[in-house]
Amino acid sequence: MKRTFLLLSAAALASAAVVVTAGAAPSATPGVTAKTILLEGTFPLSGPASGYAPIPVGMDAYFKYVNAKGGVNGRKITWKYEDDGYNPANTVQLTHKFVEQDHAFALVGGLGTEPQLPVRQYLNDNKVPQLFVSTGATTFDRDWQQYPWTLGWQPDYEAEGAIYGKYVVKNFPTAKLGVLYQNDDYGNDYLRGLNAGLTKAHQTQIVAKAAYDLGTGAPAAQVARLKASGADTFVIFATPTPTIQGYVVATKLGWKPAHVITNSVSATDSFLTLATKSGSDITNGTLSVGYTLDPSNPVYNKQPGMKLYRQIMAKYAPKQNANDGLNLYGVAKAWTTVQALQAAGKNLTRAGLMAAARKMAYTPGKKNANPFLLPGVSIFTRGNFQYPISQVTIIQYQDHVFQPVGSLIAGRGALR
């Protein structure tokens, strides 16, 4: 089923399309009129990764907020997103539609490593921005010279995996790791990072690895193998549904690992609460990393960014669970999108947008800092450094709240 969200009516779009004002981008710029900017994206609103459905809703809420304040350089954002079910074939079909029929100005926030990789070459060949993809696959930042029209946003998976490895070496030097990971580029990024962080001297701490294929059911056999290996630390590099299933299966098997590490893309209170309600008793103590404010943690309620986030959600997405961190993730990503559009100027072009996105400097302590990120986290791209967000902190889950553990870590530095 297809779901499309528009911030402007079709009538408004039709009338705006024929209006040309002084200083506006030329009509040859796809998706841009004197009064509107068309942005589109694919997200798994159904299927095995549908837990991520709140992200485009959060983006929608922030774009509405910006439009209500006058838009970007006199133009209002039209935001459309459609369901690809986390199926790359659907992503390809919808992406061609966005470019060839809808004539979108840019594709923003498209979710998933496996869905976004097959459309990257096509978008680069057609010089269409594939901006701030919702995946930390390292290639979306590392390979920016080969794919100049593609850019990530969140901390990359290899660096995150390396942080876990370094943390294990320092804090659990005799632990036996059993790793559950998704059998694709997404899971392999994490696994490479973990090995790099452990260094050769500690890589033997991984006593078992079990890969699963998304959409083939609960990874019961894989978790059973990890338990049988004698592992005392459960490392989960998985998307939300198999992550939840992994927690539940481990409990049903009677496995009580001393430590659980879960990748950031599945480490939200919503997911772990669901795992607990489904029968798991090992969610408390889960370690992960964070870089955005966490709406489920009251400690952030006095932060200006959290106050603004709740105001935006209350007005523009009142039926959504504002305590779900994925809504905030969407708001934070939309904030960055608006900043890049603003920096691209009134004579908006696709090349101008990418140029602005590749020289961002939104730093803490300044008015242009992203208010929805953890204090101290910056958004920075310049020259050969094209990892927009690279700072994280270790967080630990206890009774529905992730608490920060220690100070900020420079994620890319974890690989050096």
Side-chain angles (χ1 to χ4, degrees):
M1 181 177 66
K2 184 186 297 182
R3 290 177 58 190
T4 302
F5 290 76
L6 292 172
L7 304 189
L8 299 175
S9 69
L13 283 172
S15 62
V18 299
V19 177
V20 178
T21 59
S27 58
T29 301
V32 177
T33 73
K35 294 184 179 180
T36 64
I37 307 167
L38 176 59
L39 306 177
E40 298 190 279
T42 55
F43 295 84
L45 308 181
S46 64
S50 59
Y52 294 128
I55 292 175
V57 179
M59 295 175 69
D60 178 67
Y62 188 77
F63 289 144
K64 285 178 177 175
Y65 165 76
V66 169
N67 285 345
K69 295 173 70 68
V72 181
N73 292 326
R75 296 184 179 92
K76 294 189 177 182
I77 296 170
T78 301
W79 170 234
K80 297 170 62 178
Y81 61 92
E82 297 193 26
D83 180 15
D84 65 2
Y86 206 78
N87 182 331
N90 294 339
T91 310
V92 170
Q93 182 179 10
L94 288 169
T95 298
H96 279 258
K97 172 183 174 294
F98 291 162
V99 174
E100 298 164 21
Q101 297 180 33
D102 299 351
H103 305 292
F105 173 62
L107 273 62
V108 180
L111 191 140
T113 304
E114 295 309 300
Q116 290 301 306
L117 283 173
V119 299
R120 179 170 59 173
Q121 188 64 59
Y122 166 77
L123 292 170
N124 277 263
D125 288 344
N126 286 276
K127 298 182 178 181
V128 179
Q130 185 184 23
L131 196 61
F132 306 141
V133 290
S134 296
T135 163
T138 311
T139 181
F140 288 112
D141 296 315
R142 179 193 59 212
D143 301 326
W144 65 275
Q145 290 180 311
Q146 183 179 355
Y147 301 103
W149 296 89
T150 297
L151 184 60
W153 183 75
Q154 67 202 61
D156 69 281
Y157 296 151
E158 283 191 38
E160 183 182 338
I163 288 170
Y164 298 137
K166 286 180 174 291
Y167 188 88
V168 166
V169 169
K170 182 178 180 180
N171 296 280
F172 315 135
T174 61
K176 298 177 181 179
L177 311 184
V179 185
L180 177 69
Y181 68 102
Q182 193 161 297
N183 189 26
D184 56 18
D185 290 327
Y186 154 75
N188 285 310
D189 262 7
Y190 272 114
L191 197 57
R192 278 193 300 272
L194 178 65
N195 274 290
L198 288 171
T199 70
K200 289 184 179 180
H202 285 268
Q203 286 174 2
T204 55
Q205 285 190 250
I206 301 177
V207 297
K209 296 177 288 187
Y212 71 91
D213 293 313
L214 193 64
T216 58
Q222 290 88 338
V223 176
R225 288 204 302 273
L226 298 180
K227 177 181 182 292
S229 74
D232 60 17
T233 298
F234 189 15
V235 181
I236 306 174
F237 295 151
T239 46
T241 296
T243 293
I244 293 166
Q245 293 168 338
Y247 275 103
V248 174
V249 169
T251 297
K252 289 183 176 180
L253 292 173
W255 187 22
K256 293 186 180 295
H259 315 288
V260 180
I261 297 171
T262 296
N263 52 198
S264 62
V265 299
S266 297
T268 71
D269 175 50
S270 297
F271 297 145
L272 296 196
T273 294
L274 185 54
T276 301
K277 289 182 177 179
S278 300
S280 178
D281 61 6
I282 62 170
T283 56
N284 274 340
T286 293
L287 291 162
S288 189
V289 300
Y291 52 95
T292 67
L293 297 177
D294 182 358
S296 69
N297 190 341
V299 74
Y300 298 117
N301 284 344
K302 292 184 179 180
Q303 289 283 340
M306 186 60 71
K307 292 179 180 179
L308 176 59
Y309 164 74
R310 294 196 182 282
Q311 291 170 6
I312 290 170
M313 293 299 292
K315 186 167 184 179
Y316 298 108
K319 295 183 180 180
Q320 295 297 306
N321 175 14
N323 286 332
D324 188 335
L326 292 176
N327 281 306
L328 187 140
Y329 173 100
V331 168
K333 178 162 290 188
W335 182 95
T336 310
T337 303
V338 169
Q339 296 300 310
L341 289 168
Q342 188 79 31
K346 292 184 178 180
N347 294 320
L348 194 57
T349 65
R350 287 169 167 171
L353 175 62
M354 290 308 303
R358 294 210 177 277
K359 55 180 180 181
M360 299 185 293
Y362 304 123
T363 56
K366 295 185 178 180
K367 291 183 178 180
N368 68 352
N370 189 323
F372 308 110
L373 301 182
L374 288 176
V377 173
S378 62
I379 295 178
F380 183 85
T381 53
R382 195 61 54 91
N384 288 327
F385 191 92
Q386 293 295 324
Y387 297 86
I389 300 175
S390 63
Q391 298 157 295
V392 300
T393 188
I394 296 288
I395 55 177
Q396 188 166 33
Y397 188 72
Q398 190 70 35
D399 298 331
H400 301 288
V401 174
F402 275 101
Q403 296 289 2
V405 178
S407 57
L408 288 178
I409 301 167
R412 292 308 304 168
L415 290 173
R416 298 192 182 103

